[in-house]
Amino acid sequence: MVSRVIPVDNFDLVIFGGTGDLARRKILPGLFRRFLSGQMTEGSRIIGAARGEMDDEGFRTLVREAIAEFGGREKNETDCIERFVERLHYVPIDAMGEGGWTQLRDLMRLDVVRAFYFSVAPSLFGAIAERLHKYEIANADSRIVVEKPFGRDLATARALNATLAEHFNETQIYRIDHYLGKETVQNLMAVRFGNVLFEPLWNNHYVDHIQITVAETVGVGGRGSYYDKSGAMRDMVQNHLMQLLCLIAMEPPSKFEADEVRNEKLKVIRALQPVENHHIVRGQYDAHEGGQSYRQDAENPRSFTESFIAMKCHINNWRWAGVPFYIRTGKKMKARSSEIAVVFKDLGHSIFEGDEARHRNILAIRLQPNEGIDLQVTIKEPGPGGMRLIDVPLDMTFSEALGPDAEDVTDAYERLIMDVIRGNQTLFMRGDEVEAAWAWTDPIIQGWEKRNDVPKLYDAGSAGPDDALMLMHRDGRRWRDIKG
Ligand code: BG6
């Protein structure tokens, strides 16, 4: 495959929280990969800003170590690493006070794109935004990047949006949901809107139901104090699964442009029906085969936080009326596997009899791992014995079909940061989208709190609580197997 890397304009990117976990694991190694590819130009710079005292050389050492620990095969590119770290600077900064801000202002250049990544707790967003303004560090063309969690309910999300809006326009605010930066998530749009084949079938005349699964094998160990206050609903459903649902369910935008796409996603969220309690299963993993339970991982022996959730949702519009969307996500599941499966209806009339009449088409889009698309089609079983039908996969695993370049898939974060520099907001959440998602989520969470809802236990390494299986069995359907 020919590389089509187009260099972005020169930039100064300030990373608040530049020495933190996300910066070390994702942002900085990702930027190094973009540098290696030629997309980040030699004239661009990255400025780490955090509370700790450190000089440029200290920060460069930290970044060399981060690349060695979290980089992929590019960590051996020693010469390039040295050229990359020359572009790094560091400013000790007091987010809530006045220290470091003048120094930061003096460091910034006028003739390049200025971007500010808030890789810090949301409680600091307001203070940083205000100081960027007060010290005239940000200008009308500057961009800010904010991370989830974007609020913990509608009220806090609104307050956060209002705080940012005091100093920045919506066109300057880039709210990251890293799922939108994943190659295969973008492929959802390519598959739907780049092929004539699927769109005519993409509605309640042909689709029986849709399943969205994001299963993880990791537990919450190491980040229990954050997670225990969030749970799967706030951590995964309100954002990542909601975005997947939007991309699957939205109407075709008239153009692949930021507001066109985001308008259509917003309509989906607003059309979501409130979910009835008996259509929701909350789970919490229990110790199994020597592993720790959720409560041990979260260091909270009385926790009722969910590490798993399954639910049946409906979208109240013409296209999807009557089509259930079953979504589920969980930690410590039997395999790491994320996929979306569009299960089509039975034939209106089959010319085959008995069991041979019962076959279905399923389009499965595997998001991770083994990224690819698999269309289950019905064919005649080869050989003698009459007209026996079987279902076989028309399977396209991207790494096989597209060769080694497909494995070199850009990490979500680096792609999204390049989009920030390019000024392309298509893959970022707009403020009203985030608020609409919370407006749908809030009553569900409030219902649990009011009832002191207790999540069902499930064995670590399983497919979640049995009640989740029942959620579909009751409807005469079943979940697809979770396979890594
Ligand atoms: C994060 C959640 O946003 O996404 C984590 O906070 C989760 O709990 C992670 O593990 C999953 O991301 P990915 O890219 O590994 O699927």
Side-chain angles (χ1 to χ4, degrees):
M1 223 188 301
V2 184
S3 167
R4 300 218 185 84
V5 170
I6 302 171
V8 293
D9 291 342
N10 288 342
F11 62 83
D12 277 353
L13 170 68
V14 180
I15 309 175
F16 294 104
T19 55
D21 204 44
L22 181 71
R24 287 174 42 254
R25 277 174 190 276
K26 294 282 184 188
I27 305 173
L28 291 159
L31 282 163
F32 174 54
R33 275 191 292 275
R34 296 294 86 204
F35 180 74
L36 258 185
S37 76
Q39 199 166 23
M40 171 180 162
T41 50
E42 299 266 347
S44 294
R45 302 183 313 174
I46 298 160
I47 300 157
R51 212 167 14 185
E53 281 298 329
M54 193 186 284
D55 58 10
D56 287 353
E57 198 38 52
F59 187 52
R60 289 170 184 169
T61 303
L62 179 141
V63 175
R64 281 188 200 102
E65 287 167 3
I67 295 171
E69 194 174 351
F70 302 112
R73 56 181 177 226
E74 67 282 356
K75 62 183 159 213
N76 301 323
E77 304 272 354
T78 336
D79 290 350
C80 286
I81 294 178
E82 286 315 305
R83 270 180 31 235
F84 175 68
V85 297
E86 277 169 28
R87 280 153 190 85
L88 304 182
H89 299 270
Y90 183 82
V91 179
I93 211 133
D94 179 4
M96 307 289 277
E98 308 309 316
W101 293 96
T102 322
Q103 196 190 338
L104 180 61
R105 182 188 57 209
D106 294 346
L107 197 58
M108 304 291 291
R109 295 169 299 170
L110 282 176
D111 53 346
V112 297
V113 174
R114 293 181 179 196
F116 303 92
Y117 199 127
F118 291 21
S119 182
V120 293
S123 53
L124 297 178
F125 287 2
I128 294 177
E130 189 191 321
R131 284 163 181 74
L132 286 175
H133 198 73
K134 175 170 152 194
Y135 286 90
E136 296 179 355
I137 299 171
N139 55 26
D141 187 42
S142 298
R143 291 122 213 212
I144 60 168
V145 185
V146 292
E147 271 289 333
K148 74 177 257 277
F150 199 84
R152 55 177 285 107
D153 53 22
L154 178 57
T156 47
R158 270 195 185 140
L160 221 44
N161 274 337
T163 305
L164 296 180
E166 279 174 34
H167 306 290
F168 295 94
N169 295 327
E170 184 61 36
T171 52
Q172 298 179 278
I173 305 173
Y174 291 71
R175 293 177 196 77
I176 286 206
D177 181 315
H178 79 280
Y179 265 56
L180 287 177
K182 286 183 189 275
E183 186 79 10
T184 35
V185 173
Q186 294 176 68
N187 235 323
L188 287 177
M189 284 189 276
V191 167
R192 279 196 63 191
F193 306 130
N195 293 287
V196 72
L197 219 54
F198 301 116
E199 197 53 27
L201 306 180
W202 216 259
N203 55 52
N204 57 5
H205 298 294
Y206 294 99
V207 175
D208 177 75
H209 73 276
I210 289 178
Q211 301 186 18
I212 303 179
T213 298
V214 177
E216 299 182 272
T217 47
V218 291
V220 302
R223 57 201 286 266
S225 60
Y226 150 75
Y227 192 92
D228 206 39
K229 290 190 213 80
S230 302
M233 191 70 176
R234 288 191 172 99
D235 185 54
M236 296 293 288
V237 177
Q238 187 270 347
N239 34 73
H240 304 325
L241 276 89
M242 180 73 79
Q243 290 296 325
L244 297 180
L245 182 105
C246 285
L247 296 180
I248 276 290
M250 71 184 188
E251 294 300 314
S254 63
K255 286 186 233 142
F256 188 57
E257 279 184 4
D259 276 333
E260 303 289 336
V261 171
R262 298 187 300 177
N263 288 343
E264 296 306 335
K265 287 197 293 164
L266 179 63
K267 285 185 208 161
V268 173
I269 306 174
R270 290 196 173 146
L272 272 169
Q273 193 172 299
V275 186
E276 292 169 49
N277 190 44
H278 63 282
H279 288 160
I280 306 178
V281 178
R282 291 174 80 222
Q284 189 185 75
Y285 63 82
D286 203 359
H288 187 61
E289 292 185 349
Q292 300 227 94
S293 69
Y294 172 85
R295 288 177 173 193
Q296 287 166 322
D297 278 347
E299 295 177 4
N300 179 359
R302 297 171 57 79
S303 175
F304 289 141
T305 300
E306 79 283 355
S307 60
F308 172 96
I309 193 153
M311 59 206 298
K312 176 161 105 168
C313 311
H314 281 281
I315 299 172
N316 283 335
N317 63 19
W318 273 52
R319 186 187 282 264
W320 296 118
V323 178
F325 285 72
Y326 298 93
I327 65 179
R328 67 178 162 168
T329 182
K331 303 268 185 217
K332 285 257 177 119
M333 308 275 292
K334 63 196 262 200
R336 177 171 182 257
S337 162
S338 301
E339 72 155 33
I340 298 175
V342 181
V343 181
F344 291 94
K345 289 188 170 171
D346 292 337
L347 294 167
H349 165 75
S350 176
I351 62 169
F352 305 106
E353 291 187 343
D355 284 350
E356 307 311 340
R358 281 184 224 110
H359 290 272
R360 280 195 156 176
N361 295 126
I362 300 175
L363 175 69
I365 302 161
R366 291 192 303 272
L367 305 177
Q368 60 191 28
N370 306 326
E371 289 83 351
I373 295 175
D374 175 355
L375 179 62
Q376 180 179 296
V377 292
T378 303
I379 61 163
K380 177 188 172 298
E381 192 170 353
M387 193 59 152
R388 284 174 291 112
L389 303 186
I390 49 166
D391 293 330
V392 291
L394 261 181
D395 189 345
M396 186 175 88
T397 299
F398 294 152
S399 60
E400 287 166 12
L402 306 176
D405 284 356
E407 285 165 26
D408 196 19
V409 170
T410 322
D411 181 81
Y413 278 94
E414 53 190 275
R415 168 192 313 278
L416 293 173
I417 296 171
M418 291 300 108
D419 275 356
V420 173
I421 306 301
R422 278 189 284 250
N424 183 347
Q425 289 188 303
T426 312
L427 300 176
F428 296 84
M429 292 179 298
R430 214 168 49 192
D432 50 2
E433 252 183 279
V434 178
E435 290 184 15
W438 280 122
W440 177 77
T441 316
D442 272 5
I444 300 173
I445 297 176
Q446 283 157 6
W448 298 336
E449 286 169 355
K450 217 184 289 166
R451 289 192 308 277
N452 289 325
D453 193 84
V454 181
K456 304 275 186 288
L457 291 179
Y458 62 95
D459 284 343
S462 72
D466 289 345
D467 288 35
L469 304 181
M470 288 311 297
L471 182 72
M472 288 198 81
H473 284 185
R474 281 201 302 262
D475 296 345
R477 301 185 173 106
R478 60 193 177 93
W479 291 106
R480 285 165 58 81
D481 198 16
I482 297 174
K483 291 188 286 218

